[in-house]
Amino acid sequence: MDLLQAMYDRHSVRSYTERPIEGKTKEDLMSFIEQCRRESGLHLQLVTDEPNAFNSLMAHYGNFSGVRNYIVLAGKKGKELEETCGYYGEKIVLYAQTLDLNTCWVALTYSKGKTVFQLDPGEKLCLVIAVGYGTSEGVPHKTKPRESVMHTEQTPPDWFLRGIDAALLAPTAMNQQKFVFSLKGNTVTAKAGIGFYSKIDLGIAKYHFELGAGTENFRWG
Ligand SMILES: Cc1cc2nc3c(=O)[nH]c(=O)nc-3n(C[C@H](O)[C@H](O)[C@H](O)COP(=O)(O)O)c2cc1C
């Protein structure tokens, strides 16, 4: 399964079976996370077989059940942290989908002391992604019309519209889809709107846009 297909097949899944992530699937997921860690400089950690640990992480909304594995996204505090977490987190989410795993991004508060992951000095926990074998594949979300998330002065080329459609498939906090992609020449600018986690959403949507539009067709402005 390729990443474009994964983008269509992915939906948030909040209920998981007891089937563990193991064998080649676990190895592949771990080495992909390691690759993203090296590329991004983020502190990315995969926690597996920890059915209780998730209880000390309180999701802001949503009913979760059977979560026993999750990916922790953390990194050095700074202006770019949230967007970078969004971008690389979604890379991992879509890769996990190609391994037949389900996921859900989770905004949370956590009780310090009970957690099983590490934060180094100067680091901040951004978010976690629940991962595992879902009890279902989830359902497609409602999408905004293209026009409300794009701005162009010229007739938009097909690759740009493919990028927009891909961005509209992206998971966003509370399905808010508060981003706008603008096109000038072959330069694309993406801006986050005002809203909770909208910078994380922007990083996620930018990765989708790249997959849909093809990075050979444009540059980021
Ligand atoms: C940054 C971020 C935070 C999220 N936090 C939560 C959460 O705390 N609880 C939850 O149930 N879903 C959470 N989600 C999942 C979104 O609700 C979901 O992506 C959105 O409704 C679109 O649905 P879909 O992912 O199935 O396409 C979050 C998504 C993102 C991107």
Side-chain angles (χ1 to χ4, degrees):
M1 197 212 297
D2 68 10
L3 291 167
L4 278 173
Q5 188 60 43
M7 210 163 61
Y8 283 94
D9 293 344
R10 183 219 61 87
H11 314 295
S12 285
V13 169
R14 297 176 178 84
S15 170
Y16 293 88
T17 70
E18 286 186 2
R19 182 177 167 193
I21 303 174
E22 57 191 0
K24 180 150 174 11
T25 301
K26 187 172 180 181
E27 279 168 31
D28 287 351
L29 183 61
M30 281 173 61
S31 63
F32 191 78
I33 292 173
E34 172 57 20
Q35 198 182 309
C36 288
R37 189 193 63 76
R38 265 187 269 123
E39 225 177 282
S40 66
L42 293 173
H43 194 166
L44 306 172
Q45 297 159 74
L46 173 68
V47 178
T48 54
D49 287 321
E50 282 286 351
N52 298 320
F54 200 75
N55 298 343
S56 67
L57 305 165
M58 277 162 12
H60 284 173
Y61 67 96
N63 264 339
F64 289 87
S65 74
V67 178
R68 33 197 316 132
N69 317 290
Y70 54 92
I71 298 151
V72 180
L73 308 179
K76 288 259 175 287
K77 289 176 190 158
K79 257 184 32 207
E80 303 295 321
L81 177 62
E82 291 186 302
E83 188 180 322
T84 309
C85 281
Y87 185 90
Y88 282 94
E90 187 63 6
K91 259 190 150 173
I92 297 169
V93 159
L94 293 187
Y95 180 74
Q97 187 76 37
T98 70
L99 299 176
D100 286 332
L101 291 165
N102 301 106
T103 54
C104 186
W105 284 85
V106 194
L108 41 75
T109 31
Y110 66 107
S111 38
K112 278 191 186 149
K114 285 198 205 145
T115 50
V116 294
F117 55 87
Q118 281 111 42
L119 287 182
D120 294 334
E123 282 187 348
K124 187 181 157 193
L125 171 71
C126 233
L127 230 84
V128 306
I129 297 167
V131 58
Y133 295 96
T135 57
S136 78
E137 292 297 318
V139 291
H141 62 241
K142 280 206 177 112
T143 53
K144 287 185 175 174
R146 277 175 178 165
E147 296 68 40
S148 64
V149 297
M150 61 182 257
H151 178 77
T152 57
E153 278 159 17
Q154 71 230 55
T155 308
D158 282 349
W159 63 259
F160 184 78
L161 294 177
R162 283 198 301 273
I164 294 295
D165 290 345
L168 286 169
L169 291 173
T172 53
M174 291 163 290
N175 200 28
Q176 58 189 351
Q177 299 167 331
K178 282 190 178 164
F179 46 72
V180 176
F181 288 84
S182 308
L183 177 67
K184 224 178 190 175
N186 69 344
T187 302
V188 178
T189 317
K191 285 225 158 64
I194 295 165
F196 291 112
Y197 301 102
S198 64
K199 284 187 185 157
I200 295 180
D201 289 350
L202 184 70
I204 297 174
K206 281 173 85 169
Y207 181 57
H208 274 235
F209 186 94
E210 285 182 357
L211 286 179
T215 45
E216 66 284 7
N217 289 314
F218 73 98
R219 54 190 187 81
W220 289 116

